[in-house]
Amino acid sequence: MNRTKLGLGTVQFGMPYGVSNRQGQTAPGEVRAILEAAAERGIRVLDTAVIYGESEEVLGSQLPRSHGFDIVTKVPSLLREDGTFDPASADRMLERSLSRLRQPSVYGLLLHRAGDLLSPRSGEVMEWLLECRRRGRVEKVGVSVYAEDDVAGLTERYPIQLLQAPVNIFDQRLVRSGALAACKARGVEVHARSVFLQGLLLMNEEEVPAYFRPYAPHLEGYRLFLRRRGIDPVEAALTYVNGLSEVDTIVCGVNDRAQLLQLVRALDGGGGGRATDFAPFAAHDPGLLNPSQWKL
């Protein structure tokens, strides 16, 4: 089975997530069906996190004992309120994740926020990550970033092996700045998230929350562009990211098996948007591009 560039985000397995999500949290039985379909179609990466509600526990309960997935999980800030770092506490957090996942180790362990590597304790945090790797608990260590973070600086200063970053048709910042190209030149594995901008790139005008009214001209211009060219929004979003040589894995979340199969078809057989120039839709306002700033 050939492996695909598509990876499976699992936040919906543990909590309702996404501005366009109307289905809520995915039921365990549907999770099993999704995982079976993912394995059959060569999907390699499963992305989860401590803060994704019950996601780790659900994955652990539904994954077969023997599987071919590479699991990537993320830990929240490892710094205490006083700014200090306790490696024993961090060890316990990782062991709880492995216990919930029912795995002896994971492929990737990421810091959920880059701030831990921008603090006075950054050296201690990085050393703890490397020690986790030496002990065989993880294969690759790294960080999940926002485009506003100093991505190039982080990969220059620290031996990061895996980076997760937002990349989509609207958010081309890390591509245009050359930050992702610099990561690849250093041998960093790059996982793209927020490919659909939490579903915003797929929504019709009447579905878009009032918060986005200031961005209506940009959104409508993009929808009109796709309609005039007969390009499906799902295919457009996936085609753009799939065409980036800097990206190794495209992490997409789904609510059910049918959505997963739709993504597979769009990525492997759709062809919509190939050779299309999406550069005019690059935006720069974090109020549009960074979901953590949305007021919905």
Side-chain angles (χ1 to χ4, degrees):
M1 169 65 68
N2 293 327
R3 285 183 169 178
T4 174
K5 203 170 178 177
L6 185 64
L8 182 60
T10 66
V11 61
Q12 289 98 326
F13 297 177
M15 59 193 294
Y17 178 82
V19 67
S20 65
N21 179 10
R22 301 291 182 264
Q23 296 176 243
Q25 183 176 337
T26 304
E30 190 64 28
V31 169
R32 189 180 306 112
I34 292 169
L35 294 173
E36 290 173 354
E40 291 169 0
R41 284 153 181 82
I43 290 174
R44 174 177 62 89
V45 172
L46 300 180
D47 178 80
T48 187
V50 172
I51 67 170
Y52 289 173
E54 302 170 342
S55 175
E56 288 184 326
E57 191 170 26
V58 170
L59 268 181
S61 69
Q62 300 304 319
L63 278 170
R65 189 178 298 272
S66 177
H67 64 81
F69 293 115
D70 289 340
I71 300 174
V72 177
T73 194
K74 300 179 282 294
V75 291
S77 179
L78 298 176
L79 302 180
R80 294 188 290 200
E81 289 186 5
D82 62 359
T84 59
F85 171 66
D86 177 15
S89 176
D91 283 340
R92 289 191 293 272
M93 185 181 298
L94 174 58
E95 293 306 317
R96 286 194 293 268
S97 278
L98 294 175
S99 176
R100 287 190 291 267
L101 289 164
R102 304 184 190 182
Q103 305 295 315
S105 63
V106 290
Y107 175 75
L109 178 65
L110 304 181
L111 302 175
H112 213 138
R113 296 289 182 268
D116 284 9
L117 292 182
L118 301 171
S119 74
R121 303 292 183 175
S122 59
E124 297 173 46
V125 172
M126 192 69 229
E127 177 56 32
W128 176 78
L129 288 172
L130 296 175
E131 178 60 24
C132 291
R133 195 178 73 190
R134 287 191 288 265
R135 288 191 283 122
R137 305 307 258 170
V138 304
E139 186 172 334
K140 292 190 175 185
V141 297
V143 60
S144 174
V145 300
Y146 288 101
E148 295 90 340
D149 295 323
D150 181 12
V151 175
L154 287 171
T155 55
E156 286 173 7
R157 290 193 296 271
Y158 302 106
I160 290 169
Q161 301 167 297
L162 182 58
L163 182 91
Q164 186 185 102
V167 185
N168 57 66
I169 289 171
F170 285 4
D171 193 351
Q172 304 178 26
R173 292 175 292 175
L174 293 177
V175 178
R176 292 185 159 209
S177 70
L180 293 188
C183 289
K184 291 303 296 178
R186 295 178 180 277
V188 178
E189 182 176 336
V190 175
H191 292 189
R193 72 169 187 272
S194 202
V195 175
F196 303 117
L197 197 51
Q198 282 203 17
L200 183 62
L201 294 177
L202 312 180
M203 299 175 76
N204 297 321
E205 181 179 2
E206 60 273 13
E207 298 174 314
V208 176
Y211 168 81
F212 297 101
R213 282 176 186 156
Y215 309 106
H218 193 86
L219 291 164
E220 182 52 34
Y222 176 65
R223 287 191 291 265
L224 182 60
F225 176 86
L226 296 185
R227 284 199 300 270
R228 285 177 172 172
R229 287 159 180 77
I231 304 174
D232 178 77
V234 173
E235 291 182 7
L238 288 173
T239 298
Y240 168 71
V241 182
N242 193 43
L244 299 173
S245 60
E246 301 95 328
V247 173
D248 297 289
T249 297
I250 306 169
V251 176
C252 297
V254 299
N255 289 97
D256 53 44
R257 182 178 181 275
Q259 287 182 0
L260 176 65
L261 297 181
Q262 179 189 16
L263 297 185
V264 171
R265 288 192 299 269
L267 187 62
D268 295 343
R274 288 199 176 103
T276 300
D277 181 14
F278 291 111
F281 300 101
H284 305 281
D285 185 348
L288 171 63
L289 303 177
N290 189 337
S292 72
Q293 297 192 20
W294 294 354
K295 296 177 176 61
L296 304 178

